[in-house]
Amino acid sequence: MGGRQAYVEAVESLRPSQQAEDAGRALVDRAVGLLAGRTRCRLSDAHRHLLQMTADQGRDLVDVAAGVITLFDVTEPSARGAAPHPRLPAVGVAQVRRAEPWLATAQAVLDGMPGQAALLLPVLDAGRLVDLEFAAATPEAEVADGLHGRALIGSRLGDHLPESLLSERWRRYERVLDSGEPAEVGPFLLAGERYTVRAHRVGSGLLMSWERHDRSPGESERIAGTERLGNLGWGEWDLVSGEVRWSAQVFRIYERDPALGPMSREETEALTLPEDLPLRMAAVEAFERGEQVDVTLRARVHGRVKYLRTVADAVRDAAGSPLRIYGIVQDVTAREAGARRLAEVEHQLAEQRRSAAAEHALAAQLQRAILPIPDGPVALPGLKVAVRYLPAGQEGMVGGDWYHATTLGDGSVLLAVGDVAGHGTQAATTMAQLRHSLRALAVTTSDPGELLGHLNRLTCDLDAETPEIAATAIVARFDPARRRLTWAQAGHPPPLLSRGGRTAPLPRPSGPMLGVVEDARYECAVLDLAIGDLLLCYTDGLVEHRSRGLDDGLDAVIRAVDESVRASPRQPLGELLARLRRANPDDDTCILAVRPITGETQDLRRYLGRR
């Protein structure tokens, strides 16, 4: 257990600060918020579009979300322990964030609404709704203590009306948040006054309007308020009398003085953009066949292009000829503009993926060129060495894992395994520099501690050119005459030694990661290998996995080593590499398995052929 604890302590600092599932959810929420903010659409539309992109591309939702965040040049939560970004509001579960663009849009809408209404976002405690916070309000919105309009923003319903939190009304509000079904509550008495409250779920909160019955508006005012809220109006055309009637909102949509009366059919048709005339003619033909029409056309109104949705039907005579045409006109310019911006974002994401794929191909090509993997075991003085490289399971995750195994001029053997933090071309390039530098430095010294000291200074120099470079490594020298292994490590997981049917991590000599402390010193440890021993060096992708804990990953590898030795005690290397063949979706893995040999050891290539 002492060796295992040493391993856990060695890599504990590299573990994420929260579970990957929570981090993934935070990524998705942040991507939705950014998408809504940048395209100025509703959170629900942005979330729906993100899901659609995921389905269309056949990719993981978290990967698509990460692409959105990267596109908007916002730093993602680091896989190496950086705290994730704050979660954005999700329906029914988030705190109010007044800085979000969609809340500013909501306030702009409420500024133009009559009557008393406000957007309130939920305040949660352990997942339970405990209060509602004002995020936007109409100018006429007022509470019992006299606070009104934008002065309400930031305060909570319980601050003004604590009795509401204990009433039956509160459970109605919770149901609206949970189900999305609107509700009308009342009339009820509050502070001696009679009120009716209407609640609709909008985005992550409740849009609530309330009427004080001794001041309730007339029916016409309510209709006008509804028209403004939906940015729609109604119209009628009596074909018998020729009379045309518009509601006030239609005049506002067409920016026409009501004193001039409704426009004629010819005037409205003249506003339609020529490119949309075929669509308009198709709608007219459908109407003449007796169908209800629902069409969105572009109209140029006082120099600005608006998207106007028209839904029209008719009262017809026995022969099917229209007698009276009625319908609604809705200005959906904001919605269409948001859809266009979402399409632009999707196009930019596609370009980003193509660029990422090109970088992935380049990094993979570079990696193959500088890190050739032998087809079979490598015979070195006194050792058989087998290598396996498992690329990450995710596309674009080419990393900086590397190995080195060669004979030195004095007849000893130099072994090394290393891991450069990060992925992509930069990680592969840094890996190449470290590997080739080690090969060159081995001409001057074969001491593993000194070699790591040189690599550390090189990494610090590289970090000055490209910040935030960090790497780990193990370097070992094997003396075949004495079967003695001298090794040092730089923040790397310790090797596993299988001896006598039991596998455990080796106690680590001290040594920090490469590139962190410029004048770092690296101690060496000594291990005498015996015939029958098996030594496994590896990078952390072998034991770290988002779906299991660190101890579970280490236990699984130890079991694989023990089972391989039991299954093939004389030639366990091929059996071991056959078992350690499952790729980590999050990280590359490099495995270096070493077994001391004598002149009687058999050739193992036929065992390594099992992949």
Side-chain angles (χ1 to χ4, degrees), residues 89-98 102-103 106-107 110 116-123 129 131-138 141 143 152-161 164-165 170 173 176-177 197-210:
V91 172
V93 297
Q95 303 285 342
V96 60
R97 303 187 192 278
R98 292 192 297 277
W102 76 282
L103 295 179
Q107 182 59 60
L110 294 182
Q116 301 191 85
L119 177 66
L120 297 98
L121 297 189
V123 178
L129 183 67
D131 211 335
L132 291 167
E133 185 169 344
F134 286 86
T138 62
V143 292
L152 290 167
I153 296 176
S155 64
R156 295 185 176 183
L157 188 64
D159 298 337
H160 312 291
L161 303 167
S164 294
L165 308 185
W170 191 249
Y173 302 154
V176 174
L177 279 173
V197 176
R198 297 174 182 84
H200 298 257
R201 191 175 73 186
V202 175
S204 58
L206 288 177
L207 178 63
M208 301 177 68
S209 61
W210 58 96

Short mmCIF file of all heavy atoms in Angstrom, two decimals, residues 89-98 102-103 106-107 110 116-123 129 131-138 141 143 152-161 164-165 170 173 176-177 197-210:
data_model
loop_
_atom_site.label_atom_id
_atom_site.label_comp_id
_atom_site.label_asym_id
_atom_site.label_seq_id
_atom_site.Cartn_x
_atom_site.Cartn_y
_atom_site.Cartn_z
N PRO A 89 -27.34 30.34 -16.54
CA PRO A 89 -28.67 29.93 -16.09
C PRO A 89 -29.22 28.78 -16.91
O PRO A 89 -29.13 28.79 -18.13
CB PRO A 89 -29.51 31.21 -16.31
CG PRO A 89 -28.52 32.30 -16.28
CD PRO A 89 -27.26 31.75 -16.87
N ALA A 90 -29.75 27.78 -16.27
CA ALA A 90 -30.49 26.71 -16.92
C ALA A 90 -31.91 26.76 -16.37
O ALA A 90 -32.14 27.22 -15.27
CB ALA A 90 -29.86 25.35 -16.61
N VAL A 91 -32.86 26.28 -17.18
CA VAL A 91 -34.26 26.46 -16.83
C VAL A 91 -34.55 25.92 -15.43
O VAL A 91 -34.33 24.76 -15.14
CB VAL A 91 -35.15 25.74 -17.86
CG1 VAL A 91 -36.59 25.76 -17.41
CG2 VAL A 91 -35.01 26.43 -19.21
N GLY A 92 -35.00 26.79 -14.55
CA GLY A 92 -35.48 26.38 -13.25
C GLY A 92 -34.42 26.02 -12.22
O GLY A 92 -34.75 25.61 -11.14
N VAL A 93 -33.13 26.21 -12.54
CA VAL A 93 -32.15 25.76 -11.57
C VAL A 93 -31.02 26.73 -11.30
O VAL A 93 -30.08 26.39 -10.61
CB VAL A 93 -31.51 24.43 -12.04
CG1 VAL A 93 -32.55 23.35 -12.12
CG2 VAL A 93 -30.80 24.60 -13.37
N ALA A 94 -31.06 27.96 -11.82
CA ALA A 94 -29.89 28.81 -11.71
C ALA A 94 -30.19 30.10 -11.01
O ALA A 94 -31.31 30.56 -10.97
CB ALA A 94 -29.31 29.09 -13.09
N GLN A 95 -29.15 30.72 -10.49
CA GLN A 95 -29.27 32.02 -9.88
C GLN A 95 -29.32 33.09 -10.96
O GLN A 95 -28.86 32.90 -12.07
CB GLN A 95 -28.06 32.27 -8.96
CG GLN A 95 -27.88 31.21 -7.88
CD GLN A 95 -28.89 31.36 -6.78
OE1 GLN A 95 -29.49 32.42 -6.64
NE2 GLN A 95 -29.09 30.34 -5.99
N VAL A 96 -29.82 34.26 -10.60
CA VAL A 96 -29.89 35.36 -11.55
C VAL A 96 -28.50 35.90 -11.82
O VAL A 96 -27.67 35.99 -10.95
CB VAL A 96 -30.80 36.49 -11.00
CG1 VAL A 96 -30.30 37.05 -9.69
CG2 VAL A 96 -30.92 37.62 -12.02
N ARG A 97 -28.26 36.25 -13.09
CA ARG A 97 -27.02 36.89 -13.50
C ARG A 97 -27.39 38.07 -14.38
O ARG A 97 -27.61 37.91 -15.56
CB ARG A 97 -26.11 35.91 -14.26
CG ARG A 97 -25.78 34.65 -13.47
CD ARG A 97 -24.74 33.82 -14.22
NE ARG A 97 -24.61 32.50 -13.65
CZ ARG A 97 -23.89 32.21 -12.60
NH1 ARG A 97 -23.25 33.16 -11.98
NH2 ARG A 97 -23.80 30.97 -12.15
N ARG A 98 -27.44 39.23 -13.80
CA ARG A 98 -27.97 40.37 -14.53
C ARG A 98 -27.07 40.80 -15.67
O ARG A 98 -27.47 41.55 -16.53
CB ARG A 98 -28.20 41.53 -13.57
CG ARG A 98 -29.31 41.27 -12.57
CD ARG A 98 -29.68 42.54 -11.86
NE ARG A 98 -28.60 43.07 -11.07
CZ ARG A 98 -28.29 42.65 -9.84
NH1 ARG A 98 -28.98 41.65 -9.30
NH2 ARG A 98 -27.31 43.20 -9.17
N TRP A 102 -29.08 38.19 -22.50
CA TRP A 102 -30.50 37.93 -22.70
C TRP A 102 -31.33 38.68 -21.66
O TRP A 102 -32.47 39.04 -21.91
CB TRP A 102 -30.77 36.42 -22.66
CG TRP A 102 -30.77 35.79 -21.30
CD1 TRP A 102 -29.70 35.44 -20.57
CD2 TRP A 102 -31.92 35.41 -20.53
NE1 TRP A 102 -30.08 34.87 -19.39
CE2 TRP A 102 -31.44 34.84 -19.33
CE3 TRP A 102 -33.29 35.50 -20.72
CZ2 TRP A 102 -32.28 34.36 -18.35
CZ3 TRP A 102 -34.14 35.01 -19.74
CH2 TRP A 102 -33.64 34.46 -18.58
N LEU A 103 -30.75 38.94 -20.47
CA LEU A 103 -31.49 39.71 -19.47
C LEU A 103 -31.60 41.17 -19.88
O LEU A 103 -32.62 41.82 -19.63
CB LEU A 103 -30.80 39.59 -18.11
CG LEU A 103 -30.79 38.18 -17.50
CD1 LEU A 103 -30.06 38.17 -16.17
CD2 LEU A 103 -32.21 37.66 -17.32
N ALA A 106 -34.38 41.21 -22.26
CA ALA A 106 -35.66 41.11 -21.56
C ALA A 106 -36.06 42.47 -20.98
O ALA A 106 -37.23 42.87 -21.04
CB ALA A 106 -35.58 40.06 -20.46
N GLN A 107 -35.10 43.20 -20.41
CA GLN A 107 -35.41 44.50 -19.84
C GLN A 107 -35.85 45.47 -20.93
O GLN A 107 -36.77 46.27 -20.72
CB GLN A 107 -34.20 45.07 -19.10
CG GLN A 107 -34.45 46.41 -18.44
CD GLN A 107 -35.58 46.35 -17.41
OE1 GLN A 107 -35.50 45.60 -16.45
NE2 GLN A 107 -36.64 47.11 -17.62
N LEU A 110 -39.45 44.70 -21.66
CA LEU A 110 -40.35 45.13 -20.59
C LEU A 110 -40.45 46.65 -20.51
O LEU A 110 -41.47 47.18 -20.06
CB LEU A 110 -39.89 44.56 -19.25
CG LEU A 110 -39.98 43.02 -19.10
CD1 LEU A 110 -39.54 42.60 -17.71
CD2 LEU A 110 -41.39 42.52 -19.38
N GLN A 116 -48.11 46.09 -15.00
CA GLN A 116 -47.14 45.64 -14.02
C GLN A 116 -46.68 44.22 -14.37
O GLN A 116 -47.49 43.29 -14.36
CB GLN A 116 -47.74 45.67 -12.61
CG GLN A 116 -48.23 47.04 -12.19
CD GLN A 116 -48.56 47.07 -10.71
OE1 GLN A 116 -47.70 47.27 -9.86
NE2 GLN A 116 -49.84 46.86 -10.41
N ALA A 117 -45.40 44.06 -14.68
CA ALA A 117 -44.84 42.76 -15.02
C ALA A 117 -43.36 42.78 -14.70
O ALA A 117 -42.72 43.83 -14.66
CB ALA A 117 -45.06 42.44 -16.51
N ALA A 118 -42.81 41.59 -14.48
CA ALA A 118 -41.39 41.48 -14.16
C ALA A 118 -40.91 40.09 -14.51
O ALA A 118 -41.68 39.13 -14.53
CB ALA A 118 -41.13 41.76 -12.67
N LEU A 119 -39.62 40.00 -14.82
CA LEU A 119 -38.96 38.71 -15.01
C LEU A 119 -38.20 38.40 -13.73
O LEU A 119 -37.37 39.19 -13.28
CB LEU A 119 -37.98 38.78 -16.19
CG LEU A 119 -37.17 37.50 -16.43
CD1 LEU A 119 -38.08 36.37 -16.88
CD2 LEU A 119 -36.09 37.75 -17.47
N LEU A 120 -38.52 37.24 -13.12
CA LEU A 120 -37.87 36.84 -11.88
C LEU A 120 -37.18 35.51 -12.09
O LEU A 120 -37.74 34.60 -12.70
CB LEU A 120 -38.90 36.71 -10.74
CG LEU A 120 -39.63 38.01 -10.36
CD1 LEU A 120 -41.00 38.05 -11.05
CD2 LEU A 120 -39.80 38.11 -8.85
N LEU A 121 -35.95 35.40 -11.60
CA LEU A 121 -35.16 34.18 -11.74
C LEU A 121 -35.09 33.45 -10.40
O LEU A 121 -35.08 34.07 -9.34
CB LEU A 121 -33.77 34.50 -12.25
CG LEU A 121 -33.70 35.12 -13.64
CD1 LEU A 121 -32.27 35.18 -14.12
CD2 LEU A 121 -34.56 34.37 -14.65
N PRO A 122 -35.03 32.12 -10.46
CA PRO A 122 -35.11 31.33 -9.22
C PRO A 122 -33.85 31.44 -8.38
O PRO A 122 -32.73 31.50 -8.88
CB PRO A 122 -35.30 29.89 -9.73
CG PRO A 122 -34.72 29.90 -11.10
CD PRO A 122 -34.98 31.26 -11.66
N VAL A 123 -34.05 31.42 -7.08
CA VAL A 123 -32.97 31.32 -6.10
C VAL A 123 -33.12 29.95 -5.43
O VAL A 123 -34.17 29.64 -4.88
CB VAL A 123 -33.05 32.44 -5.05
CG1 VAL A 123 -31.95 32.28 -4.01
CG2 VAL A 123 -32.94 33.80 -5.73
N LEU A 129 -36.44 25.52 -4.63
CA LEU A 129 -36.75 26.92 -4.85
C LEU A 129 -37.06 27.59 -3.51
O LEU A 129 -37.98 27.18 -2.81
CB LEU A 129 -37.96 27.04 -5.80
CG LEU A 129 -38.37 28.47 -6.17
CD1 LEU A 129 -37.30 29.14 -7.02
CD2 LEU A 129 -39.70 28.45 -6.92
N ASP A 131 -36.66 31.32 -3.24
CA ASP A 131 -37.04 32.70 -3.46
C ASP A 131 -36.98 32.98 -4.95
O ASP A 131 -36.54 32.14 -5.75
CB ASP A 131 -36.11 33.66 -2.69
CG ASP A 131 -36.83 34.93 -2.26
OD1 ASP A 131 -37.84 35.31 -2.92
OD2 ASP A 131 -36.40 35.56 -1.28
N LEU A 132 -37.42 34.18 -5.33
CA LEU A 132 -37.34 34.64 -6.71
C LEU A 132 -36.70 36.02 -6.70
O LEU A 132 -37.03 36.86 -5.86
CB LEU A 132 -38.73 34.71 -7.35
CG LEU A 132 -39.41 33.36 -7.62
CD1 LEU A 132 -40.88 33.57 -7.94
CD2 LEU A 132 -38.72 32.63 -8.77
N GLU A 133 -35.79 36.25 -7.63
CA GLU A 133 -35.07 37.52 -7.69
C GLU A 133 -35.47 38.30 -8.93
O GLU A 133 -35.50 37.75 -10.04
CB GLU A 133 -33.57 37.27 -7.68
CG GLU A 133 -32.76 38.56 -7.61
CD GLU A 133 -31.29 38.28 -7.33
OE1 GLU A 133 -30.98 37.16 -6.90
OE2 GLU A 133 -30.47 39.17 -7.55
N PHE A 134 -35.76 39.60 -8.77
CA PHE A 134 -36.15 40.44 -9.89
C PHE A 134 -34.94 40.66 -10.80
O PHE A 134 -33.88 41.09 -10.36
CB PHE A 134 -36.66 41.80 -9.39
CG PHE A 134 -38.02 41.75 -8.76
CD1 PHE A 134 -38.19 41.44 -7.42
CD2 PHE A 134 -39.16 42.02 -9.52
CE1 PHE A 134 -39.45 41.40 -6.84
CE2 PHE A 134 -40.42 41.98 -8.96
CZ PHE A 134 -40.57 41.66 -7.62
N ALA A 135 -35.12 40.34 -12.09
CA ALA A 135 -34.06 40.53 -13.08
C ALA A 135 -34.40 41.59 -14.10
O ALA A 135 -33.52 42.15 -14.74
CB ALA A 135 -33.75 39.21 -13.79
N ALA A 136 -35.69 41.86 -14.30
CA ALA A 136 -36.14 42.91 -15.22
C ALA A 136 -37.57 43.26 -14.83
O ALA A 136 -38.29 42.42 -14.27
CB ALA A 136 -36.08 42.45 -16.68
N ALA A 137 -38.00 44.50 -15.11
CA ALA A 137 -39.33 44.93 -14.69
C ALA A 137 -39.84 46.04 -15.60
O ALA A 137 -39.04 46.80 -16.18
CB ALA A 137 -39.31 45.42 -13.23
N THR A 138 -41.17 46.11 -15.75
CA THR A 138 -41.78 47.21 -16.50
C THR A 138 -41.73 48.48 -15.66
O THR A 138 -41.61 48.44 -14.43
CB THR A 138 -43.24 46.88 -16.85
OG1 THR A 138 -43.98 46.73 -15.62
CG2 THR A 138 -43.34 45.60 -17.65
N ALA A 141 -44.28 48.43 -12.84
CA ALA A 141 -44.23 47.37 -11.84
C ALA A 141 -43.98 47.97 -10.46
O ALA A 141 -43.07 48.78 -10.28
CB ALA A 141 -43.14 46.37 -12.19
N VAL A 143 -44.34 47.10 -6.00
CA VAL A 143 -44.64 46.19 -4.90
C VAL A 143 -45.19 47.00 -3.73
O VAL A 143 -45.22 48.23 -3.75
CB VAL A 143 -43.38 45.40 -4.47
CG1 VAL A 143 -42.97 44.44 -5.57
CG2 VAL A 143 -42.24 46.34 -4.14
N LEU A 152 -36.49 47.62 -8.68
CA LEU A 152 -36.73 46.29 -8.13
C LEU A 152 -35.62 45.31 -8.45
O LEU A 152 -35.44 44.31 -7.76
CB LEU A 152 -38.06 45.73 -8.67
CG LEU A 152 -39.35 46.39 -8.18
CD1 LEU A 152 -40.52 45.95 -9.05
CD2 LEU A 152 -39.60 46.03 -6.73
N ILE A 153 -34.86 45.58 -9.51
CA ILE A 153 -33.87 44.61 -9.99
C ILE A 153 -32.82 44.35 -8.91
O ILE A 153 -32.24 45.26 -8.33
CB ILE A 153 -33.20 45.12 -11.29
CG1 ILE A 153 -34.26 45.22 -12.40
CG2 ILE A 153 -32.06 44.20 -11.71
CD1 ILE A 153 -33.72 45.81 -13.68
N GLY A 154 -32.57 43.08 -8.68
CA GLY A 154 -31.60 42.67 -7.67
C GLY A 154 -32.23 42.34 -6.33
O GLY A 154 -31.60 41.66 -5.51
N SER A 155 -33.44 42.83 -6.10
CA SER A 155 -34.12 42.48 -4.84
C SER A 155 -34.88 41.17 -5.02
O SER A 155 -35.04 40.68 -6.13
CB SER A 155 -35.08 43.59 -4.42
OG SER A 155 -36.13 43.73 -5.38
N ARG A 156 -35.34 40.63 -3.91
CA ARG A 156 -36.03 39.33 -3.96
C ARG A 156 -37.49 39.51 -3.54
O ARG A 156 -37.83 40.42 -2.79
CB ARG A 156 -35.34 38.32 -3.05
CG ARG A 156 -33.93 37.99 -3.52
CD ARG A 156 -33.29 36.90 -2.70
NE ARG A 156 -31.98 36.54 -3.22
CZ ARG A 156 -31.20 35.56 -2.73
NH1 ARG A 156 -31.64 34.85 -1.70
NH2 ARG A 156 -30.03 35.31 -3.27
N LEU A 157 -38.31 38.61 -4.06
CA LEU A 157 -39.72 38.65 -3.75
C LEU A 157 -39.94 38.55 -2.25
O LEU A 157 -40.80 39.25 -1.68
CB LEU A 157 -40.45 37.51 -4.47
CG LEU A 157 -41.97 37.51 -4.40
CD1 LEU A 157 -42.55 38.74 -5.09
CD2 LEU A 157 -42.54 36.25 -5.04
N GLY A 158 -39.15 37.71 -1.57
CA GLY A 158 -39.30 37.56 -0.14
C GLY A 158 -38.94 38.81 0.64
O GLY A 158 -39.38 38.98 1.79
N ASP A 159 -38.13 39.72 0.04
CA ASP A 159 -37.82 40.97 0.71
C ASP A 159 -39.06 41.85 0.85
O ASP A 159 -39.20 42.60 1.82
CB ASP A 159 -36.74 41.74 -0.06
CG ASP A 159 -35.43 40.97 -0.14
OD1 ASP A 159 -35.22 40.11 0.74
OD2 ASP A 159 -34.64 41.24 -1.06
N HIS A 160 -39.93 41.79 -0.15
CA HIS A 160 -41.11 42.66 -0.18
C HIS A 160 -42.37 41.95 0.31
O HIS A 160 -43.21 42.56 0.97
CB HIS A 160 -41.33 43.18 -1.61
CG HIS A 160 -40.11 43.73 -2.25
ND1 HIS A 160 -39.51 44.90 -1.85
CD2 HIS A 160 -39.35 43.26 -3.28
CE1 HIS A 160 -38.44 45.13 -2.60
NE2 HIS A 160 -38.32 44.15 -3.48
N LEU A 161 -42.51 40.68 -0.07
CA LEU A 161 -43.73 39.94 0.25
C LEU A 161 -43.36 38.59 0.85
O LEU A 161 -43.53 37.53 0.22
CB LEU A 161 -44.57 39.74 -1.02
CG LEU A 161 -44.98 41.02 -1.77
CD1 LEU A 161 -45.53 40.68 -3.13
CD2 LEU A 161 -46.01 41.79 -0.95
N SER A 164 -45.68 35.56 0.67
CA SER A 164 -45.89 34.83 -0.59
C SER A 164 -45.12 33.52 -0.61
O SER A 164 -45.55 32.54 -1.24
CB SER A 164 -45.44 35.70 -1.77
OG SER A 164 -46.28 36.84 -1.89
N LEU A 165 -43.97 33.47 0.07
CA LEU A 165 -43.15 32.26 0.06
C LEU A 165 -43.79 31.11 0.82
O LEU A 165 -43.37 29.97 0.69
CB LEU A 165 -41.77 32.56 0.66
CG LEU A 165 -41.01 33.77 0.07
CD1 LEU A 165 -39.62 33.86 0.68
CD2 LEU A 165 -40.92 33.68 -1.43
N TRP A 170 -47.04 29.89 -4.06
CA TRP A 170 -45.64 29.54 -4.26
C TRP A 170 -45.50 28.18 -4.96
O TRP A 170 -44.66 28.00 -5.85
CB TRP A 170 -44.93 29.51 -2.91
CG TRP A 170 -43.44 29.43 -3.03
CD1 TRP A 170 -42.64 28.38 -2.71
CD2 TRP A 170 -42.57 30.45 -3.52
NE1 TRP A 170 -41.34 28.68 -2.96
CE2 TRP A 170 -41.26 29.94 -3.47
CE3 TRP A 170 -42.78 31.74 -4.01
CZ2 TRP A 170 -40.16 30.69 -3.88
CZ3 TRP A 170 -41.68 32.48 -4.42
CH2 TRP A 170 -40.39 31.96 -4.36
N TYR A 173 -46.11 28.57 -8.62
CA TYR A 173 -44.96 29.11 -9.33
C TYR A 173 -43.91 28.01 -9.58
O TYR A 173 -43.29 27.95 -10.65
CB TYR A 173 -44.32 30.25 -8.54
CG TYR A 173 -45.25 31.40 -8.23
CD1 TYR A 173 -45.03 32.21 -7.12
CD2 TYR A 173 -46.36 31.68 -9.02
CE1 TYR A 173 -45.88 33.26 -6.81
CE2 TYR A 173 -47.22 32.73 -8.73
CZ TYR A 173 -46.98 33.51 -7.62
OH TYR A 173 -47.82 34.55 -7.33
N VAL A 176 -44.98 25.94 -12.52
CA VAL A 176 -44.74 26.62 -13.80
C VAL A 176 -43.28 26.47 -14.21
O VAL A 176 -42.96 26.18 -15.37
CB VAL A 176 -45.12 28.11 -13.70
CG1 VAL A 176 -44.74 28.84 -14.99
CG2 VAL A 176 -46.62 28.26 -13.45
N LEU A 177 -42.35 26.65 -13.26
CA LEU A 177 -40.92 26.48 -13.56
C LEU A 177 -40.60 25.05 -13.98
O LEU A 177 -39.82 24.83 -14.91
CB LEU A 177 -40.08 26.86 -12.34
CG LEU A 177 -39.81 28.35 -12.12
CD1 LEU A 177 -39.11 28.56 -10.79
CD2 LEU A 177 -38.98 28.93 -13.25
N VAL A 197 -52.41 37.16 -10.49
CA VAL A 197 -51.06 37.03 -11.03
C VAL A 197 -51.06 35.99 -12.15
O VAL A 197 -51.67 34.92 -12.01
CB VAL A 197 -50.06 36.61 -9.93
CG1 VAL A 197 -48.66 36.37 -10.53
CG2 VAL A 197 -49.98 37.67 -8.84
N ARG A 198 -50.39 36.31 -13.23
CA ARG A 198 -50.20 35.37 -14.33
C ARG A 198 -48.71 35.08 -14.44
O ARG A 198 -47.90 36.01 -14.42
CB ARG A 198 -50.75 35.92 -15.64
CG ARG A 198 -52.25 36.15 -15.60
CD ARG A 198 -52.75 36.85 -16.86
NE ARG A 198 -54.19 37.11 -16.78
CZ ARG A 198 -54.73 38.15 -16.18
NH1 ARG A 198 -53.93 39.06 -15.61
NH2 ARG A 198 -56.03 38.30 -16.14
N ALA A 199 -48.35 33.79 -14.57
CA ALA A 199 -46.94 33.39 -14.59
C ALA A 199 -46.68 32.52 -15.82
O ALA A 199 -47.43 31.59 -16.10
CB ALA A 199 -46.58 32.62 -13.31
N HIS A 200 -45.64 32.88 -16.54
CA HIS A 200 -45.19 32.11 -17.70
C HIS A 200 -43.70 31.84 -17.53
O HIS A 200 -42.96 32.73 -17.09
CB HIS A 200 -45.40 32.88 -19.01
CG HIS A 200 -46.82 33.20 -19.31
ND1 HIS A 200 -47.57 32.50 -20.24
CD2 HIS A 200 -47.65 34.15 -18.79
CE1 HIS A 200 -48.79 33.02 -20.29
NE2 HIS A 200 -48.86 34.02 -19.42
N ARG A 201 -43.27 30.63 -17.89
CA ARG A 201 -41.83 30.37 -17.86
C ARG A 201 -41.19 30.97 -19.11
O ARG A 201 -41.62 30.71 -20.23
CB ARG A 201 -41.54 28.86 -17.82
CG ARG A 201 -40.06 28.57 -17.53
CD ARG A 201 -39.79 27.09 -17.37
NE ARG A 201 -39.83 26.40 -18.65
CZ ARG A 201 -39.75 25.08 -18.79
NH1 ARG A 201 -39.65 24.33 -17.71
NH2 ARG A 201 -39.80 24.52 -19.98
N VAL A 202 -40.18 31.79 -18.93
CA VAL A 202 -39.43 32.40 -20.02
C VAL A 202 -37.95 32.19 -19.74
O VAL A 202 -37.43 32.65 -18.72
CB VAL A 202 -39.73 33.91 -20.13
CG1 VAL A 202 -38.84 34.54 -21.19
CG2 VAL A 202 -41.19 34.15 -20.47
N GLY A 203 -37.27 31.46 -20.63
CA GLY A 203 -35.86 31.20 -20.40
C GLY A 203 -35.68 30.43 -19.12
O GLY A 203 -36.26 29.37 -18.90
N SER A 204 -34.90 30.99 -18.21
CA SER A 204 -34.62 30.32 -16.95
C SER A 204 -35.49 30.79 -15.80
O SER A 204 -35.29 30.38 -14.66
CB SER A 204 -33.15 30.55 -16.57
OG SER A 204 -32.90 31.93 -16.47
N GLY A 205 -36.45 31.67 -16.07
CA GLY A 205 -37.22 32.21 -14.96
C GLY A 205 -38.70 32.33 -15.25
O GLY A 205 -39.24 31.68 -16.14
N LEU A 206 -39.36 33.19 -14.48
CA LEU A 206 -40.80 33.42 -14.59
C LEU A 206 -41.06 34.84 -15.06
O LEU A 206 -40.53 35.79 -14.48
CB LEU A 206 -41.48 33.21 -13.24
CG LEU A 206 -41.60 31.78 -12.71
CD1 LEU A 206 -42.25 31.81 -11.33
CD2 LEU A 206 -42.41 30.92 -13.65
N LEU A 207 -41.88 34.95 -16.09
CA LEU A 207 -42.41 36.25 -16.47
C LEU A 207 -43.76 36.37 -15.76
O LEU A 207 -44.70 35.64 -16.07
CB LEU A 207 -42.58 36.37 -17.98
CG LEU A 207 -43.19 37.70 -18.44
CD1 LEU A 207 -42.27 38.87 -18.09
CD2 LEU A 207 -43.47 37.68 -19.94
N MET A 208 -43.84 37.28 -14.80
CA MET A 208 -45.04 37.42 -13.98
C MET A 208 -45.66 38.79 -14.21
O MET A 208 -44.95 39.81 -14.21
CB MET A 208 -44.70 37.24 -12.50
CG MET A 208 -44.07 35.88 -12.19
SD MET A 208 -43.58 35.70 -10.45
CE MET A 208 -45.19 35.67 -9.67
N SER A 209 -46.94 38.79 -14.46
CA SER A 209 -47.70 40.05 -14.55
C SER A 209 -48.79 40.00 -13.49
O SER A 209 -49.32 38.94 -13.19
CB SER A 209 -48.30 40.22 -15.94
OG SER A 209 -49.20 39.18 -16.25
N TRP A 210 -49.11 41.16 -12.91
CA TRP A 210 -50.13 41.17 -11.86
C TRP A 210 -51.02 42.40 -12.01
O TRP A 210 -50.60 43.44 -12.51
CB TRP A 210 -49.49 41.11 -10.48
CG TRP A 210 -48.53 42.20 -10.14
CD1 TRP A 210 -48.76 43.35 -9.47
CD2 TRP A 210 -47.13 42.23 -10.48
NE1 TRP A 210 -47.63 44.10 -9.35
CE2 TRP A 210 -46.60 43.43 -9.95
CE3 TRP A 210 -46.27 41.37 -11.17
CZ2 TRP A 210 -45.26 43.78 -10.10
CZ3 TRP A 210 -44.95 41.71 -11.31
CH2 TRP A 210 -44.45 42.90 -10.78
#
